[in-house]
Amino acid sequence: MTDNAAIDPLSLLDDLLSRARRAGADSADALFARGVAQSASQRLGKPEAVERSEGRDIELRVFVGRQQAVVSSTDFGSDALDELVVRALAMAKAAPEDKYAGIADPDAIARQWPSIEMYDPTEPSAEALVERARAAEEAARSVAGVTNSEGAEASYGSTEVALAASNGFAGGYRRSSFSIAASVVAGTGQKMERDYDYTAAVFDADLEDAATIGRRAGERAVRRLNPRRPKTATLPVVYDPRAGRSVLGHLASAINGVSIARGTSFLKNAMGEALFAPGIRILDDPHRPRGQRSKPFDGEGLPTKPRAMVDGGCLTSWFLDLSTGRQLGLSSTGHAGRGSGSPPSPGATNLYLEPGTVSRDALIADIERGFYVTELMGSTVNLVTGDYSRGASGFWIENGEITFPVSEMTIAGHLRDIFRTLTPADDLVFKYGMDVPTIRVEGLMVAGGQD
């Protein structure tokens, strides 16, 4: 049972669960994962590395009453599985009781699930990845003004996941990923700027062209040369989608069931509250075809479904797994995620802000002075209080036009105010797994210099 190609994941998990129950576990679940990752990188015209890794892992979670323990192993031999069970039970018996722990009731588990486009059997050769990295870096370095390179990389990965539990759940799926990235430097001496671009997709055919990625990385770096630091002021801030998705990330963290159950979120009492303008909708869609974070069932074997987290501007849901749902007296929302060696925890899947009805240019057109943010650095975002402060760079807006580059700026405010005044443009593109269109926020403090 140790040959990787010959392993039947669900049979392996069923065998492991049977061993756990025979050894005294009241209930148990188990996770199997195996994957392949390959990448090629190039810097300054020379191949740097071609790497490939293959791995597999099995995780067992056992319960003795309300005491639980999680253990994992890469050894699937019979003796190793017996040892895994013994170790898990010994750890569970020594663990403190957790009245919220436990697997799902049998009537709650997913019995059927959608077939989602999330696996491309295409496996690019090492030579193809090398060529993609070469094309990306060459295109970036060919942009006038680019003087150095941090390199380019092309990668591929595939993962097979299987989950089974003593409540009768058993299921599995496969996912794939492909990416190309390039990062370069423009300018010389003390006047150097860097920027990057990348493309990532679940299907190989959906990747952008490598040369396009490289050229855009180079052009972005050059556009940032000779930045200024305008005077500190309270201004409209417009976030490029690449930077704006972080705002969605702060919301996702603030409405995560772990933070809500612990009372450590500034939104802990905000369910049903109008946090955004009336037309705003924020959705989580685990069933999106070719979505970066799609999954047919969650990490506890519960059904997943598309869900509006914010509807009509009002907060309508938390991200919950079984444990946080029980703590709050609610049902799981099917958002449990699973990592090797740790219990499930809730999190978003394909989270996105619905687009608005105005173009990016129209969103900016009436701004006399403002800040167009393309990159954020550092973070002193306090999710307990909602206080927000980020280092930022981008471009200055003058009389409705994006003008000169700016850097070493700080934008600050409160997340409630950011949410309340947020206006989306109509340019949403699904690219990252957490996506927003261009967004505009009113009245943030933009701290700069004395220019």
Side-chain angles (χ1 to χ4, degrees), residues 156-226:
Y156 153 80
S158 70
T159 305
E160 181 179 9
V161 174
L163 176 69
S166 57
N167 56 15
F169 179 82
Y173 57 85
R174 302 180 79 177
R175 69 164 63 253
S176 55
S177 63
F178 304 82
S179 69
I180 304 169
S183 177
V184 290
V185 176
T188 59
Q190 299 300 311
K191 296 182 177 181
M192 293 191 294
E193 298 288 338
R194 59 159 293 281
D195 213 322
Y196 69 95
D197 195 26
Y198 78 95
T199 176
V202 174
F203 275 63
D204 189 57
D206 294 338
L207 281 179
E208 290 188 80
D209 176 67
T212 300
I213 296 302
R215 184 167 57 253
R216 200 153 57 215
E219 291 169 350
R220 285 176 170 174
V222 172
R223 284 184 66 200
R224 292 177 63 165
L225 286 172
N226 303 312

